[in-house]
Amino acid sequence: MSGVPQGSILGPVLFNIFLNDLFFCIDISNLHNFADDNTISAAEKNIELLIKSLERDSNIAIDWFMSNEMIVNPDKFQAFIVQKVNSIKQEHTLLLGNQKIITKDKVKLLGIDIDNQLNFDYHVSSLCKKASKQLHAIIRLQTYLGFKEKVVLIQSFFYANFNYCSLLWYFTSSTSRQKIEKLQERALRLLYQDYQSSYSDLLVTSGKTTMEIKRLRTLGIEIFKTLHDLNPSYMKSIFQRTTQLSHRPNNLIVHYHRTTRHGEKSLKTLGPRICNTIPENMKAATNIKINRRNINYNR
């Protein structure tokens, strides 16, 4: 009948304790939880079995929430199905409680647009549109802005778009990656009022790297944190060291894959391959500050 102030330290702890037994109710599908956002996923050999599993466990979750006097909002329910590239795409209907949920080509989950092909082109396109509008706003105001003010605005608004969950959409298409680089070029030209120099020269002037290298740096730091127990335990299933008897003990295991788009071009497969090309002194670092400094030096 009472609560704690929003933004408190105690609030999330109590909420996690309250919600914890929901995980024991879901036995077929997988439950993914972040604060009060819950997502259920399942993998089956055919669509009929998949829908049956998702409906069963989703309705169990809905019953749990109602039994524990929590409000379920059917208007926020969404569903999508990932299939092989050459599969026939069609809508499917899931019955969750009294609500019919029709599958979509893409859904937004915790601020990320996830499409049913897992190529994240739509998400990157949305990011680029948002970042482009923000650059236009800075251009309109540049008469009233000094250099330092523009640096703060570009860093706070423009770059923030591409810092969030970049590992999730890291392996997007080359077209999408080029869009991001073009936007950074525009941002640097705006900052330095330089419309003659090449992109490479602008990077040298600003002391920045390409956006591709920036994401690679993020990947390197996350791998380091995983191997040194600084990340959640589930990350260890993605990044695992080879046996210590190996001539390169800091190399990572490259996981087997059966498909190109969802296998080879995934964080679990391509991430270790990229890591294994990094110089040994970077991978052998024992301190994250040293690791970051090496990544900066070798950019």
Side-chain angles (χ1 to χ4, degrees), residues 4 8-20:
V4 294
S8 68
I9 296 174
L10 183 60
V13 175
L14 293 177
F15 186 80
N16 285 338
I17 293 172
F18 178 80
L19 200 68
N20 190 55

Side-chain angles (χ1 to χ4, degrees), residues 224 228 250 279-286:
F224 177 90
H228 290 79
N250 292 308
E280 281 297 307
N281 67 312
M282 293 173 62
K283 291 186 289 186
T286 56

Side-chain angles (χ1 to χ4, degrees), residues 39-297:
T39 300
I40 292 178
S41 68
E44 297 289 355
K45 293 183 178 179
N46 60 65
I47 296 296
E48 291 72 22
L49 281 175
L50 177 66
I51 291 176
K52 186 177 180 180
S53 297
L54 291 175
E55 286 181 338
R56 175 186 179 276
D57 285 332
S58 295
N59 285 314
I60 288 174
I62 291 171
D63 291 340
W64 184 93
F65 281 110
M66 295 180 66
S67 299
N68 287 274
E69 301 183 12
M70 297 192 73
I71 299 174
V72 177
N73 187 357
D75 293 336
K76 292 186 177 181
F77 290 176
Q78 52 186 351
F80 79 116
I81 296 174
V82 178
Q83 296 175 265
K84 292 181 179 178
V85 177
N86 56 359
S87 300
I88 299 175
K89 300 298 183 294
Q90 58 182 349
E91 292 181 344
H92 299 278
T93 302
L94 282 74
L95 185 61
L96 307 183
N98 297 321
Q99 189 85 6
K100 288 184 178 180
I101 307 300
I102 299 176
T103 57
K104 301 178 180 179
D105 291 339
K106 53 185 174 293
V107 299
K108 184 178 283 293
L109 180 61
L110 298 174
I112 300 291
D113 293 297
I114 306 177
D115 60 273
N116 58 8
Q117 293 301 310
L118 299 181
N119 59 28
F120 294 98
D121 283 343
Y122 179 82
H123 177 69
V124 173
S125 178
S126 298
L127 287 183
C128 290
K129 287 178 182 178
K130 184 178 178 181
S132 181
K133 289 179 180 178
Q134 290 165 340
L135 285 180
H136 281 300
I138 296 173
I139 290 172
R140 292 196 299 270
L141 295 170
Q142 65 178 327
T143 306
Y144 311 100
L145 301 173
F147 180 79
K148 290 183 178 179
E149 288 76 16
K150 284 194 287 187
V151 169
V152 171
L153 287 174
I154 290 173
Q155 194 67 37
S156 302
F157 292 98
F158 174 80
Y159 283 109
N161 292 296
F162 304 104
N163 292 339
Y164 179 66
C165 286
S166 61
L167 285 188
L168 188 61
W169 47 269
Y170 184 98
F171 303 110
T172 188
S173 67
S174 59
T175 302
S176 293
R177 295 197 297 270
Q178 289 171 7
K179 284 182 181 178
I180 297 174
E181 298 297 343
K182 286 291 184 182
L183 272 174
Q184 176 170 245
E185 182 180 347
R186 282 179 55 195
L188 294 178
R189 293 195 186 283
L190 166 62
L191 179 61
Y192 293 99
Q193 291 296 293
D194 183 348
Y195 298 94
Q196 302 298 325
S197 300
S198 66
Y199 182 36
S200 299
D201 290 338
L202 286 170
L203 292 174
V204 173
T205 301
S206 63
K208 292 187 176 297
T209 65
T210 63
M211 299 295 277
E212 179 80 11
I213 294 297
K214 188 176 182 181
R215 291 192 297 276
L216 180 60
R217 181 187 302 167
T218 301
L219 173 64
I221 291 171
E222 291 305 316
I223 290 174
F224 177 90
K225 289 164 64 178
T226 301
L227 299 180
H228 290 79
D229 296 322
L230 300 174
N231 260 346
S233 58
Y234 65 82
M235 293 289 285
K236 290 185 178 181
S237 65
I238 302 176
F239 305 123
Q240 299 173 320
R241 275 198 179 97
T242 56
T243 173
Q244 293 297 316
L245 298 177
S246 170
H247 67 287
R248 300 191 72 184
N250 292 308
N251 272 14
L252 300 184
I253 296 173
V254 178
H255 295 272
Y256 171 77
H257 59 86
R258 290 184 296 177
T259 62
T260 299
R261 176 172 294 184
H262 301 149
E264 182 182 359
K265 295 181 179 179
S266 67
L267 184 63
K268 192 170 185 177
T269 300
L270 204 50
R273 283 185 177 176
I274 292 174
C275 177
N276 291 346
T277 66
I278 296 174
E280 281 297 307
N281 67 312
M282 293 173 62
K283 291 186 289 186
T286 56
N287 182 286
I288 194 166
K289 290 183 179 179
I290 298 175
N291 181 264
R292 282 198 178 106
R293 186 162 63 247
N294 283 335
I295 293 173
N296 288 338
Y297 179 77

